[in-house]
Amino acid sequence: MARTVQAPLDEATVKSLRAGDRVVMTGKIYAARDAAHKRLVAAMQRGEALPLPLPLSGQVIYYVGPAPAKPGSVIGPAGPTTSGRMDPYTLPLLERGIAGLIGKGSRSEEVKEALVRHRAVYFGAVGGASALLARQIRSSRILAYPDLLSEAVRELEVEEFPLIVINDCHGGDAYLAAREAYRSDGGGSQRSR
């Protein structure tokens, strides 16, 4: 059974999460992809104010560039993008207090170490289920960089958004644990016939 977590995340929640935990997230999160991350980090390096709530402490960023919404819909299909593309921009955001990241795929060793150092967590969302994930988004509004269209920074209100903890703040890694379990099982050779 999945555990409910509230966004933004508090420190106690982050510390309680473990790699492999299934969760459903409810609350406000922020959508941003590659181009928005590049602008956010450049603004931070120049000392400019960010278009996200300050402080960033506890906030969650979802790596998504939603498709246009159909008439009457809040948002179009909104599946995760590959997280590794955001790795070059992740450390400055973690240093500012971002507590949660949502995407798909593995993170670099540098990012995994930073998650431990800054007490943050990386969640995986199911790739290929963008239309289903969009059903859990109750509102969407552009906060910054509207010229980036689908990659603009958005505030999303989510309800019971399904996620899996991939990397926790204790150094746990669900992908590595799954690989090890597969290896110790002989690569699945113990399956019943």
Side-chain angles (χ1 to χ4, degrees):
M1 179 148 179
R3 173 181 163 196
T4 299
V5 295
Q6 184 70 37
L9 302 173
D10 60 34
E11 188 174 352
T13 299
V14 170
K15 286 182 178 179
S16 72
L17 295 169
R18 296 291 188 272
D21 286 354
R22 293 183 325 154
V23 302
V24 289
M25 185 175 289
T26 296
K28 287 185 181 175
I29 64 174
Y30 297 89
R33 274 188 51 155
D34 316 43
H37 273 75
K38 185 175 182 178
R39 284 192 191 176
L40 286 169
V41 170
M44 288 167 51
Q45 291 169 340
R46 291 190 301 265
E48 296 172 4
L50 297 182
L52 299 175
L54 291 173
L56 295 179
S57 182
Q59 302 300 335
V60 177
I61 296 180
Y62 180 25
Y63 304 142
V64 62
K70 292 181 181 177
S73 296
V74 170
I75 198 165
T81 195
T82 303
S83 301
R85 293 200 316 264
M86 264 49 76
D87 283 357
Y89 311 112
T90 300
L91 271 60
L93 293 168
L94 291 173
E95 289 167 0
R96 289 278 186 104
I98 291 292
L101 308 164
I102 302 171
K104 68 178 181 182
S106 298
R107 306 309 298 263
S108 68
E109 288 304 316
E110 185 179 31
V111 168
K112 290 191 277 187
E113 290 168 7
L115 290 170
V116 173
R117 193 168 55 252
H118 297 289
R119 293 194 175 123
V121 64
Y122 169 54
F123 300 94
V126 178
S130 57
L132 295 174
L133 291 172
R135 292 181 188 172
Q136 304 311 120
I137 300 172
R138 302 298 179 235
S139 68
S140 170
R141 69 181 178 106
I142 294 177
L143 292 182
Y145 315 139
D147 59 303
L148 295 179
L149 305 173
S150 70
E151 293 200 33
V153 176
R154 296 170 187 269
E155 178 186 79
L156 304 177
E157 182 81 31
V158 297
E159 185 177 330
E160 296 187 357
F161 196 78
L163 303 165
I164 297 171
V165 176
I166 303 300
N167 299 111
D168 62 37
C169 72
H170 309 285
D173 186 322
Y175 291 146
L176 290 179
R179 282 187 217 125
E180 289 303 316
Y182 183 78
R183 282 189 196 112
S184 67
D185 184 32
S189 63
Q190 303 299 319
R191 289 178 287 181
S192 60
R193 297 174 190 228

